[in-house]
Amino acid sequence: MTDSPIPAKIIFILADPKATGEEFISLSGSLYRQNLIFSEPRELRRDKNSLELIVIFRDNNSFKNWSKNTEIKEFWQTKFDKLLSAEPKTIKERDVIIEVDNVINCACKKSDFYILQGRSLQFTDELTCSNCFGQISYSKVPLEIKLEDWQTKHERVYLNWLESGLFEKEAFKELTNYKKGKLNLEGEKIRKQLSDFFQIPVYISYFVEEPDNNHPCLVCGQGGSDSGLKRPSKICKACNTIFGYDDK
Ligand SMILES: [Zn+2]
Ligand SMILES: [Zn+2]
């Protein structure tokens, strides 16, 4: 089995509810230097007396055993003991998405179409209502449509590109091969399945290196028609793509 990045959150329950918890900001730096997480910093969220650090572990072993890492233990264990009321808890982000309270789900019932976007680093804006810009909850998507699976793969490729490492070129090729790339073909398949299931047009927003650039439909090169939205402003109904992130 190949190991893949694991988005997760680490939860710290502060022993003193009035403490700022700012000591923990630098934990992501420690985790990175120990090669346990990807470099892209994720956020540190505060919720009453708990702190949540969102990170992407490099693999399953890092996810499971980060707190047993010698360096981490040496530097952080006394802080954990002193400042926390319990050992930090690590939860896979996938199990967490549903609970995230700042994701607004669509409940408007006025959608003209949905926008499907491959996962990058944010966990929002993956399947979006054109009217209220709320998210279509994955719990509404039947399991036969491998949306989550595709999103996980998309994120993995995206991260490979972002990391500028060994796989950067391959990842870029995969992300930008709109007509024949496996990743994008799978995305298109899922787009169609979603459209059939929800009985609503679903347009896919493909990866572009510079999202603010004005570009035509990435599949056919046509200019497309007005989406009715400010951003993304254009739709190609022939290819079911949505694009036009130009700010003007
Ligand atoms: Zn809506
Ligand atoms: Zn097109």
Side-chain angles (χ1 to χ4, degrees), residues 217 219-222 236 238-239 241:
C217 169
V219 181
C220 72
Q222 303 287 313
C236 175
C239 309
T241 59

Side-chain angles (χ1 to χ4, degrees), residues 106-108 111 129 131-132:
C106 163
C108 76
S111 328
C129 163
N131 179 57
C132 70

Side-chain angles (χ1 to χ4, degrees), residues 1-247:
M1 202 186 97
T2 50
D3 249 340
S4 54
I6 298 181
K9 71 176 179 185
I10 308 176
I11 301 172
F12 309 96
I13 311 288
L14 296 168
D16 172 8
K18 290 198 193 84
T20 62
E22 60 191 10
E23 295 87 349
F24 294 100
I25 292 168
S26 61
L27 176 66
S28 58
S30 296
L31 293 170
Y32 176 61
R33 282 190 297 278
Q34 292 308 311
N35 207 23
L36 296 163
I37 60 167
F38 281 93
S39 61
E40 190 66 20
R42 305 299 300 270
E43 51 183 328
L44 184 69
R45 271 198 297 241
R46 177 75 191 246
D47 181 24
K48 291 186 191 119
N49 66 332
S50 79
L51 288 171
E52 298 173 5
L53 181 67
I54 317 282
V55 294
I56 299 169
F57 287 102
R58 289 202 170 261
D59 50 32
N60 198 39
N61 187 42
S62 312
F63 164 71
K64 278 194 175 146
N65 300 314
W66 69 267
S67 62
K68 296 188 188 99
N69 173 286
T70 322
E71 269 24 74
I72 297 286
K73 253 184 140 170
E74 200 178 295
F75 190 76
W76 288 96
Q77 194 57 55
T78 46
K79 289 189 185 174
F80 292 160
D81 295 343
K82 214 173 94 189
L83 301 168
L84 303 179
S85 67
E87 287 292 308
K89 243 193 187 168
T90 315
I91 302 173
K92 276 190 194 180
E93 180 89 4
R94 195 190 300 201
D95 306 330
V96 154
I97 290 174
I98 307 151
E99 304 166 12
V100 172
D101 50 15
N102 58 0
V103 171
I104 297 156
N105 284 328
C106 163
C108 76
K109 299 199 169 93
K110 287 180 196 153
S111 328
D112 295 316
F113 56 84
Y114 292 162
I115 302 167
L116 173 67
Q117 183 156 24
R119 183 176 296 163
S120 49
L121 286 167
Q122 298 110 330
F123 288 91
T124 52
D125 298 344
E126 294 184 354
L127 187 58
T128 311
C129 163
S130 67
N131 179 57
C132 70
F133 292 104
Q135 295 300 298
I136 314 309
S137 167
Y138 280 19
S139 60
K140 289 193 179 149
V141 177
L143 282 175
E144 302 88 77
I145 304 179
K146 303 284 180 203
L147 175 58
E148 178 63 39
D149 191 49
W150 176 69
Q151 288 290 20
T152 307
K153 286 196 183 95
H154 192 284
E155 187 187 23
R156 196 178 308 160
V157 177
Y158 177 86
L159 285 171
N160 278 343
W161 168 72
L162 192 75
E163 286 287 300
S164 308
L166 201 56
F167 302 110
E168 182 187 0
K169 276 195 188 126
E170 282 85 346
F172 186 75
K173 247 189 185 167
E174 192 67 37
L175 287 167
T176 55
N177 189 345
Y178 307 108
K179 285 182 199 167
K180 287 181 184 153
K182 266 190 197 162
L183 186 71
N184 290 330
L185 284 178
E186 182 66 17
E188 164 53 25
K189 187 175 128 192
I190 282 164
R191 184 208 61 73
K192 176 149 194 331
Q193 289 173 332
L194 289 169
S195 181
D196 291 345
F197 176 76
F198 287 111
Q199 294 288 300
I200 189 171
V202 178
Y203 299 111
I204 189 164
S205 170
Y206 286 114
F207 167 91
V208 267
E209 197 171 13
E210 303 273 353
D212 289 331
N213 273 1
N214 224 349
H215 58 75
C217 169
L218 293 160
V219 181
C220 72
Q222 303 287 313
S225 57
D226 209 330
S227 73
L229 308 175
K230 230 175 143 188
R231 303 176 89 225
S233 58
K234 298 283 179 198
I235 280 172
C236 175
K237 288 193 176 164
C239 309
N240 296 297
T241 59
I242 189 158
F243 49 95
Y245 289 89
D246 205 65
D247 268 328

